[in-house]
Amino acid sequence: MRGADTFTESLFTMRRLEDFVPQSHPLRSIRTMANQALVKMDRLFAQMYEADIKGGRPSIAPEKLLRAMLLQVLYSIRSERQLMEQTQYNLLFRWFIGLSMDDSVWVPTVFTKNRERLIKHDAVIQFFNEVLAIAQKKNWLSGEHFSVDGTLIQAWAGHKSFVRKDGDDQDDDAGGNFKGRKRSNETHESKTDPDAKLYRKGKTSSELRYMGHTLSDNRHGLVVSAMVTKADGHAEREAAKVMLNDARQVIEDLNVEVTVGADKGYDAHEFIEACLEMKVTPHVAQNTSGRRSAVPDAIASSAGYAVSQQKRKLIEQGFGWVKTVGRMRQVIVRGLKKVDQMFVLSMAAYNPFPYTEVMTLPSVFE
């Protein structure tokens, strides 16, 4: 018997948002981990809003704001407006954020304004650290053997915005044709994003870019430190020294051997010497192309060196994930501080992946 094409809607429903989310959905374990980290941040959230005790409308709860930002990364949502649109009718999103069926969705500009408060108070960085602390308690980290690398991030600025600092620029008259014109970071800067630098690496073309850096733990490839710097030829090694120094200070026992794997770009005398001073064994790939490697042969011939060279490739998985899923190939924010916060948040979202199957999350656009 053929069924009738009718639509019947009840006035009331007795089902909860929880009932609409499958028990095996990856977001369940991610939400549990995120909530554990957010509970530890209660004091920071209180300090962020203590100046607002005089009155006024309540702002967006920072816990809900951070969970919404995580969704934006996990589901490759390009803009806040698109995120709010999805939250309006997507029950899964409402459940993850902590909104009931009857709660109003925020205006995109209000969401963006409140997000700036999190960036100002480094809440994203603390969230990353709390997620890392959870991983440490679960014994997901070795805490002694690391890998380091950097990647290019395209800025939200175009070549036409890259003009002379002194204002005497005739590029606009050329209609964007820069052939034969000398342009460098010393004489030019972007009008839309002054922190972005013109940079090329290898066979890539010169673009306005930033440089993202991560320090990963070799046990499972989880990121233990992340930062963004301006793009230049020395940024990778300088950032690596900062992250290694921070990691080394956490390890109280100086007798524990700490190692770091890296590619040939880190084979420089000043970097190798800096590692040895920090009592970090540099398992850096030897660069012997027309030169002598700075890595001692005694280190390069050790068994641990070979293991580090195999494990260091795990760091590329994080870069690949944040550039494709996290949409960090080209950022949608401007300024070093904001780009750094988005990069750190993306890495915080990536870290639970080996245990929560983040990569298998179904797309909201399928």
Side-chain angles (χ1 to χ4, degrees):
M1 175 177 160
R2 178 183 176 182
D5 183 16
T6 60
F7 176 75
T8 304
E9 187 175 22
S10 301
L11 183 60
F12 303 102
T13 180
M14 299 301 294
R15 299 185 67 185
R16 302 176 303 162
L17 276 176
E18 180 85 13
D19 301 330
F20 292 96
V21 183
Q23 291 297 321
S24 59
H25 200 283
L27 277 185
R28 284 190 174 273
S29 53
I30 295 175
R31 192 177 194 272
T32 299
M33 182 177 291
N35 286 343
Q36 291 175 3
L38 291 172
V39 168
K40 301 290 186 180
M41 298 173 61
D42 185 69
R43 179 175 298 179
L44 173 63
F45 292 149
Q47 294 174 353
M48 288 168 52
Y49 293 90
E50 64 182 2
D52 300 338
I53 58 176
K54 295 181 180 179
R57 293 186 303 170
S59 65
I60 301 174
E63 295 88 349
K64 294 180 179 179
L65 186 62
L66 267 168
R67 284 193 290 263
M69 292 170 65
L70 277 177
L71 280 179
Q72 189 172 5
V73 174
L74 293 171
Y75 281 92
S76 310
I77 300 176
R78 189 63 177 170
S79 66
E80 286 78 11
R81 187 173 299 278
Q82 200 173 62
L83 175 62
M84 296 302 101
E85 178 186 340
Q86 290 289 331
T87 306
Q88 179 66 39
Y89 57 79
N90 193 320
L91 297 183
L92 176 66
F93 280 24
R94 284 181 172 267
W95 167 82
F96 187 87
I97 294 172
L99 296 175
S100 69
M101 292 186 185
D102 298 325
D103 286 339
S104 300
V105 178
W106 312 298
V107 177
T109 53
V110 175
F111 179 87
T112 303
K113 183 178 180 181
N114 280 268
R115 186 189 64 182
E116 298 298 323
R117 193 194 300 256
L118 294 180
I119 295 176
K120 179 181 178 181
H121 292 271
D122 292 333
V124 172
I125 294 177
Q126 182 164 341
F127 178 75
F128 175 90
N129 292 334
E130 294 297 341
V131 171
L132 199 63
I134 295 173
Q136 181 67 51
K137 290 181 180 178
K138 293 179 179 292
N139 199 31
W140 293 349
L141 306 174
S142 70
E144 302 168 7
H145 305 292
F146 305 99
S147 294
V148 67
D149 205 355
T151 188
L152 296 178
I153 301 172
Q154 190 170 346
W156 192 245
H159 277 287
K160 290 185 178 181
S161 71
F162 196 62
V163 299
R164 290 188 64 87
K165 297 178 181 179
D166 57 15
D168 184 18
D169 201 331
Q170 299 178 357
D171 289 343
D172 292 337
D173 299 333
N177 183 10
F178 309 114
K179 186 175 181 180
R181 297 176 180 271
K182 186 176 181 180
R183 304 159 78 231
S184 68
N185 293 315
E186 287 73 24
T187 57
H188 292 63
E189 71 177 5
S190 172
K191 293 187 296 184
T192 54
D193 190 354
D195 289 337
K197 299 299 179 184
L198 195 65
Y199 186 75
R200 68 185 298 269
K201 184 178 181 181
K203 297 181 180 180
T204 62
S205 60
S206 293
E207 299 285 350
L208 289 169
R209 293 183 166 116
Y210 290 94
M211 189 168 282
H213 314 270
T214 58
L215 183 72
S216 66
D217 187 274
N218 284 353
R219 176 167 292 175
H220 296 293
L222 298 187
V223 177
V224 297
S225 184
M227 62 186 298
V228 171
T229 64
K230 296 179 181 179
D232 64 56
H234 303 283
E236 287 186 289
R237 294 192 294 269
E238 294 302 318
K241 287 187 284 187
V242 172
M243 293 187 294
L244 281 171
N245 184 57
D246 292 342
R248 193 65 180 93
Q249 291 181 358
V250 174
I251 304 172
E252 297 180 356
D253 188 359
L254 296 178
N255 294 321
V256 173
E257 183 185 12
V258 178
T259 65
V260 59
D263 59 32
K264 293 181 179 180
Y266 294 83
D267 187 2
H269 286 283
E270 53 88 15
F271 179 72
I272 301 302
E273 291 174 0
C275 288
L276 295 176
E277 288 179 2
M278 290 185 285
K279 296 186 178 181
V280 175
T281 305
H283 287 174
V284 178
Q286 288 186 310
N287 184 5
T288 56
S289 300
R291 62 189 291 271
R292 182 178 177 82
S293 173
V295 181
D297 291 335
I299 294 178
S301 60
S302 64
Y305 179 87
V307 175
S308 291
Q309 286 301 304
Q310 292 178 339
K311 284 288 188 176
R312 73 176 177 84
K313 298 176 182 178
L314 290 174
I315 203 170
E316 299 293 346
Q317 296 180 6
F319 288 148
W321 191 89
V322 299
K323 284 191 173 185
T324 53
V325 179
R327 304 298 291 270
M328 283 296 298
R329 186 179 300 277
Q330 183 178 30
V331 289
I332 58 174
V333 293
R334 295 188 174 103
L336 180 62
K337 184 74 172 179
K338 293 181 181 179
V339 175
D340 179 72
Q341 297 290 301
M342 293 306 298
F343 185 73
V344 172
L345 178 66
S346 297
M347 286 300 175
Y350 165 77
N351 266 346
F353 156 60
Y355 310 96
T356 56
E357 299 180 357
V358 174
M359 292 284 280
T360 63
L361 283 171
S363 171
V364 294
F365 305 110
E366 291 180 354

